[in-house]
């Protein structure tokens, strides 16, 4: 049976501040520059969720995209959209909310949510010019 | 010799209806929702065709992109563009024309068309937010 | 008081056939080419709705974008999304559903829906390469 | 002499909160919904700055785009990028930082900065789906 | 009768050098910077051609987009695509090929080509970040 | 430790001519068509640089994106931007500057520049429709 990858684009808008509790203020300011601004700044995050599986012979679908969208909405968007990521998102507590750490946290939220297919890849655009990808490796 | 992946974007516009002959009308309506509308609806499909091979030492090309375009135009676009996919495309007969099934059908049309390189991946955007990818696995 | 233009992007997917009841079949085929295919074809339509008005001194908004979205959803998207435009959309009956005629029909559906601001412009992309704009002139 | 419009795209990332000091907390929450989140959220703002003028007969330019970029960088980007707009941007104090109010504030910062040409239009995308335009009217 | 604006996107790739014959080499180098590189550089130019007119009551079209495309192909693309604009394009001789001057030259090539409608606006993107617009004013 | 892929988009504008010194003029003209134009033509090249590595437990970053940008700016953009690729770029001498050969040359310039992570993939868009990808295979 053929394996097909299915991707759905979603998005959320959030504020964050890059600041590591393991570094002093001077090191944080030097390392993160403007991203260390104490009051934070924000982004429109674009998230591409890719699952892989065999199309069902009856429905022709790897997964119903409405169901995929509902899962990501419930597990990720409802938790992160219009939030200040450093303070209001449980799965990001104790981490610097870089795109790298956010995409790993989203993987943890989504990896056990699919049954007829498997989570394959997450792409997280912080801006149209910067992106982090995680495949659970 | 280095292996390079070369991609060409093409597009076609078509109508389709999601309806499985293996399900009754009520199940089809429940499963596919608005996509089951009896008269169909349509999309601008964006197709990204990727081949892989070694650049020719004389020409510097894995494949002449004009040739790649002509092959996809002849094998895919001429058959699917401005058509109602359920009724007018031979290679989709007996299938639900989901993005998953369309991308597999396009693979069958293209996989033996390349000689200096190998078909590697097809990406089919049904909308800018939904995509199916097939790599012949 | 300053005048600000506010735009919201929305989208719908629909099938259509270009065929004029005022022309015979041969003329239709010659005029519209592949767009005259009897079973139709389809598009992802992108619609940009622009209103103009003065930002409210209390709220800072020309219009609440949630309200703008709900109006366009109810008046336009719910009527046209996942439909065959020639047969299933009341306001397009008796017309060739070219982008030009669709954008005028959408204007009629929207022009009296705004109270704190005024409908200024509609942009309708039939494909990413073709667009029709109407300003009620 | 012909009049040509010249546009340069720039961008900044910032946090904001929609909250009106003229409304009580309950009205703010009801009016702005998630955008009223007390800790704020954020966006990648895309700004398109358009000036209009006659191309110089010697240089062929309405304005040197490097100069246009430097002006917008100095007057707008340096003040708003990686900031919390409600608290850290002088020209937004006392306003709700809606896209409408931000684009008017940017107009005030830029309108007297051009000498060989005239500021014609500002487009401010808050997200790829929402935009406010101001022309100084 | 309603007035509708119809736009078609086209593109061409060309080389150019910004160098004014009215300035000495030092002034050219200072003014145009890297764009003055003697051997030239190049761009993918995106051209948006907008015409305005009344949709024909029989066809529903302001202009047949195939005809619009053929006119622009013949008058503009065939002359400028894959050319070095300073030396190989007759209508740009004696000018600095800035986006401003190119868009005016394209207007001259197109302005008398339409009969059922009128050329309204040309947008020329030199890069996705820089654009010149001309409306024949 | 998780492996995350981090991508940064950059761009440069350059002229080139497709012409192979191993073929005679007639064969070059036939093979490359308009791309063989003796004076050359040009493109806006979009380059996506992807590195892979483990996010640093202290900083949350695979690599500081400012550092990634500086490396690509110094090694690639400063050498290729606003240049005629056939004559002015050392690492392209003796090659036909196809997208395939350019992306391999950029790999050579970048592959030893990263220390906390590893160069994984380069995507080079010659136009929005054509792309070459190299992964060092």
């Amino acid at each position: 049976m053929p394996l097909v990858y299915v991707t759905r684009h979603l998005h959320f808008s959030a504020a964050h501040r890059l600041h590591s509790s393991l570094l002093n203020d001077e090191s944080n300011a030097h390392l993160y520059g403007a991203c260390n601004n104490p009051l934070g700044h924000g982004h429109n995050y674009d998230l591409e969720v890719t699952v892989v599986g065999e199309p069902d012979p009856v429905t022709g679908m790897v997964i119903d995209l409405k169901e995929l969208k509902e899962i990501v909405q419930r597990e990720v968007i409802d938790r992160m959209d219009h939030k200040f990521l450093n303070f209001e998102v449980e799965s990001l507590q104790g981490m610097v909310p870089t795109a790298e750490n956010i995409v790993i946290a989203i993987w943890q939220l989504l990896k056990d949510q699919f049954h007829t297919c498997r989570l394959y890849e997450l792409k997280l655009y912080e801006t149209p010019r910067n992106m982090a990808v995680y495949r659970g490796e």
Side-chain angles (χ1 to χ4, degrees), chain A residues 77-109:
Chain A
I77 308 299
D78 287 351
R79 286 174 169 140
M80 297 194 181
D81 191 31
H82 285 78
K83 295 285 163 42
F84 200 116
L85 299 177
N86 301 55
F87 308 119
E88 300 185 280
V89 178
E90 190 186 334
S91 55
L92 291 170
Q93 294 314 297
M95 282 179 211
V96 187
T98 56
E100 291 93 321
N101 278 340
I102 300 172
V103 79
I104 295 172
I106 294 175
W107 183 276
Q108 298 303 325
L109 294 171

Side-chain angles (χ1 to χ4, degrees), chain A residues 14 26 83 129:
Chain A
E26 193 183 344
K83 295 285 163 42
R129 292 157 293 286

Side-chain angles (χ1 to χ4, degrees), chain A residues 13-19 32-45 83-88 96-97 126:
Chain A
S13 295
H16 77 155
R17 181 198 185 194
L18 298 189
H19 186 89
Y32 297 117
C35 300
N36 186 238
N37 180 37
L39 292 173
H41 63 286
H43 298 291
N44 302 321
Y45 289 92
K83 295 285 163 42
F84 200 116
L85 299 177
N86 301 55
F87 308 119
E88 300 185 280
V96 187
E126 197 176 69

Side-chain angles (χ1 to χ4, degrees), chain A residues 16-67:
Chain A
H16 77 155
R17 181 198 185 194
L18 298 189
H19 186 89
S20 173
S21 59
L22 303 172
L23 298 172
N24 62 26
D25 284 1
E26 193 183 344
S27 299
N28 270 296
H30 182 260
L31 177 64
Y32 297 117
C35 300
N36 186 238
N37 180 37
L39 292 173
H41 63 286
H43 298 291
N44 302 321
Y45 289 92
D46 279 332
L47 176 65
E48 299 185 16
V49 178
T50 301
V51 297
V52 62
E54 300 172 358
D56 182 289
V58 172
T59 66
M61 299 190 292
V62 167
I63 186 172
D64 184 342
L65 282 173
K66 285 195 303 291
E67 188 195 340

